[in-house]
Amino acid sequence: MPHHGNDAEHSPSNNEGKHDEREGAGQQKPIIRDNRKVDPETGAARHPQGSAADSAAAAEGDALSQAEEILNGMEVPAEESVAPSAAAEAEAAELRNDLLRLQAEYVNYRKRVERDRAVAGEMAVIGVLNSLLPVLDDVDAARQHGDLVDGPFAAIAAKLENALKTYGLERIAETGVDFDPTIHEALIQQPGEDIEVDTVSQVLRSGYRSGDRVLRAAQVIVAVPA
């Protein structure tokens, strides 16, 4: 059969070659990338190249190297240069003296507070005892008249006197002792026989004291040497 045109266009070898090339290109195998973060065989975590962890490690290494260079370049002062100066020693001595002075002031303050507290307590007790002295005078007068020989009032009077003794209350009512103007108040003086010094012959009203403090002097009659 006759044909027209170029023989190369109708050559079967050329068409078959081009067909083979197209088939080869169409049959190229695909490329598969494994982007899994965990290795399926070992179970270890994968760190892709150029990850943030590598960058952080590199930055940390650079920072450590820079710090080492700075430390190596620093000069350590000698022992003489760090020794305390005379001014520092003087300041330390002054602070120590201030501390000792404050400590002494605190000790004195504490002693003064304790002493004031003890005095306040003693004055409170003395105030109560002074307020009860008229009651004790009535009890003493009733006893002298024989009204407290027996009975419930005698028991009450005894309990009151014993309770006041626990607070240091003492009666001043002794006779035949030397006259002492610090605890006795002489109302009457009478000549006495066989005495060489002034002596208390009779107590008109009892006196009282608490410890070394005289609450009230005893009113007495004094016998003087003739």
Side-chain angles (χ1 to χ4, degrees):
M1 180 178 181
H3 62 276
H4 301 281
N6 190 356
D7 295 337
E9 294 178 357
H10 300 278
S11 175
S13 60
N14 292 335
N15 293 331
E16 292 176 358
K18 293 180 179 181
H19 180 70
D20 295 338
E21 291 177 359
R22 287 195 297 269
E23 290 180 355
Q27 295 179 358
Q28 186 177 1
K29 295 182 179 180
I31 300 174
I32 300 175
R33 293 185 176 89
D34 189 358
N35 295 327
R36 287 177 292 182
K37 297 182 178 180
V38 179
D39 193 340
E41 297 181 359
T42 61
R46 293 177 175 177
H47 299 286
Q49 186 176 2
S51 62
D54 296 338
S55 301
E60 184 178 358
D62 295 339
L64 291 176
S65 61
Q66 293 178 3
E68 291 179 357
E69 292 179 0
I70 294 174
L71 292 176
N72 292 331
M74 293 178 62
E75 295 181 358
V76 179
E79 295 181 357
E80 292 78 4
S81 61
V82 298
S85 60
E89 292 181 354
E91 184 178 1
E94 184 178 359
L95 293 175
R96 183 168 56 255
N97 293 332
D98 292 341
L99 179 61
L100 293 176
R101 182 169 59 254
L102 290 175
Q103 184 178 5
E105 291 178 357
Y106 172 74
V107 171
N108 294 332
Y109 169 76
R110 185 177 61 184
K111 291 181 179 179
R112 184 170 62 253
V113 169
E114 292 177 355
R115 183 173 61 252
D116 294 344
R117 185 183 295 111
V119 171
E122 182 180 357
M123 293 303 298
V125 172
I126 290 175
V128 174
L129 295 178
N130 283 327
S131 64
L132 292 176
L133 293 183
V135 178
L136 296 177
D137 291 338
D138 294 340
V139 171
D140 193 15
R143 184 179 288 110
Q144 290 178 0
H145 287 83
D147 295 336
L148 293 180
V149 177
D150 195 4
F153 290 104
I156 293 174
K159 289 180 180 180
L160 176 61
E161 292 174 344
N162 292 331
L164 294 179
K165 286 180 181 180
T166 59
Y167 290 96
L169 183 65
E170 297 179 4
R171 182 191 298 269
I172 304 174
E174 295 180 354
T175 58
V177 298
D178 295 343
F179 174 78
D180 185 356
T182 60
I183 61 175
H184 297 137
E185 180 183 358
L187 298 182
I188 302 174
Q189 290 184 353
Q190 296 176 347
E193 297 180 357
D194 300 333
I195 58 173
E196 297 180 356
V197 296
D198 296 346
T199 306
V200 175
S201 60
Q202 185 179 353
V203 177
L204 302 177
R205 189 182 70 173
S206 299
Y208 294 93
R209 62 186 172 187
S210 177
D212 297 334
R213 183 185 296 271
V214 178
L215 303 181
R216 189 181 70 185
Q219 295 178 350
V220 298
I221 298 176
V222 181
V224 297

